[in-house]
Amino acid sequence: METLGIDIGGTGIKGAPVDTVTGALLAPRVRILTPEQGKPKPVAKVVEEIAAQFKWQGPIGCGFPSVVQNGVVYSAANIHKSWIGLDADKLFEEITGLPVHVINDADAAGLAEITFGAGRGERGLVMIITIGTGLGSALFINGQLVPNTELGHIEIKGKDAEVNASEAARIRQKMSWKRWSNRFNTYLQTLERLFWPDLFILGGGGAKEFARFKDSLQVRARVVPAQMGNEAGIVGAAMAAHLKT
């Protein structure tokens, strides 16, 4: 089935129609800068614009950087606080005039990765960590998603993990790969003590440099880079919308 997938990020909003059976994009993706401050209505207008560029008339799936339950936004670590308590499904549907399903962005990327990427066929407990502006997480047990884990916000030494171990933190604090990888390793070790996963899959922009830091990771679980790249959030969002219909 063809579904429009949209990945809403802090700096950019990107989308493309997706074949949810194969995970392939059916057209080159469109990317538009996220409106300054990222308030609800301007973001919804960008979603409408992307749909219009593809002349889209079917269902839309949106990956969103927040805890999302039944379409309602419940957290705002990297988005405007006015999203909290808002029914994002309803807002996007009112603006676009189309059926829309919103899902946590890391969960969306995880759905793509577990279905078509590095997690395909994996059993047991798999954790997908996205390394970017923050640290996103998706947790799967025998291929089934446990939604909204948001494990980038666990506290390590009194701070959200993503404050010290995200890609944005590495750039902001001008850390060497060695220094950053030690912090990220501490983060993975903390997750391992809590969940004992069989496999970590690392995605997001920071994971593109996996070769630079893989030897610094000292955990029992296997650690591999994601395979779906920048398309993961788009594909997974489309899959989530397709599964809802």
Side-chain angles (χ1 to χ4, degrees):
M1 179 177 178
E2 297 181 10
T3 304
L4 181 63
I6 296 180
D7 186 9
I8 298 173
T11 58
I13 301 173
K14 53 197 178 185
V18 176
D19 182 333
T20 56
V21 175
T22 66
L25 300 193
L26 298 173
R29 65 178 185 161
V30 169
R31 185 181 188 275
I32 298 174
L33 291 177
T34 302
E36 188 175 354
Q37 298 186 333
K39 291 183 178 180
K41 187 164 282 189
V43 168
K45 285 291 187 181
V46 173
V47 171
E48 179 187 36
E49 183 178 347
I50 291 174
Q53 288 202 31
F54 292 108
K55 298 186 169 93
W56 193 256
Q57 292 299 314
I60 301 173
C62 289
F64 195 77
S66 170
V67 170
V68 182
Q69 291 184 321
N70 300 314
V72 178
V73 174
Y74 285 104
S75 67
N78 295 305
I79 56 174
H80 197 271
K81 303 298 183 186
S82 60
W83 281 99
I84 296 177
L86 187 69
D87 189 329
D89 280 6
K90 182 178 179 181
L91 172 66
F92 291 146
E93 287 177 349
E94 288 175 348
I95 296 293
T96 65
L98 299 169
V100 180
H101 177 59
V102 178
I103 181 176
N104 174 270
D105 57 350
D107 287 348
L111 281 172
E113 202 64 46
I114 208 77
T115 306
F116 302 112
R120 187 172 185 176
E122 293 284 347
R123 307 299 290 172
L125 198 154
V126 177
M127 300 191 77
I128 297 163
I129 306 297
T130 58
I131 309 167
T133 303
L135 290 172
S137 64
L139 189 154
F140 290 84
I141 299 175
N142 293 328
Q144 297 299 308
L145 173 66
V146 179
N148 293 310
T149 49
E150 288 288 276
L151 295 173
H153 301 298
I154 63 171
E155 286 192 8
I156 299 177
K157 296 182 179 179
K159 293 183 178 180
D160 268 16
E162 69 179 26
V163 171
N164 287 322
S166 66
E167 170 73 350
R170 184 187 66 79
I171 295 170
R172 182 177 63 250
Q173 299 178 38
K174 299 179 180 178
M175 285 185 272
S176 67
W177 282 102
K178 179 63 176 176
R179 183 182 173 202
W180 175 83
S181 64
N182 287 337
R183 291 187 180 186
F184 186 71
N185 182 59
T186 297
Y187 172 62
L188 291 190
Q189 288 178 335
T190 302
L191 293 180
E192 186 161 75
R193 286 195 299 271
L194 292 170
F195 295 97
W196 294 98
D198 298 285
L199 173 66
F200 284 111
I201 299 173
L202 306 183
K208 293 177 182 177
E209 302 292 341
F210 181 69
R212 286 178 177 262
F213 63 87
K214 66 178 182 179
D215 293 337
S216 297
L217 304 181
Q218 300 175 6
V219 291
R220 178 199 58 84
R222 288 182 294 134
V223 185
V224 300
Q227 296 176 357
M228 295 294 291
N230 290 331
E231 298 178 358
I234 294 172
V235 173
M239 291 174 61
H242 172 63
L243 291 171
K244 185 185 178 185
T245 58

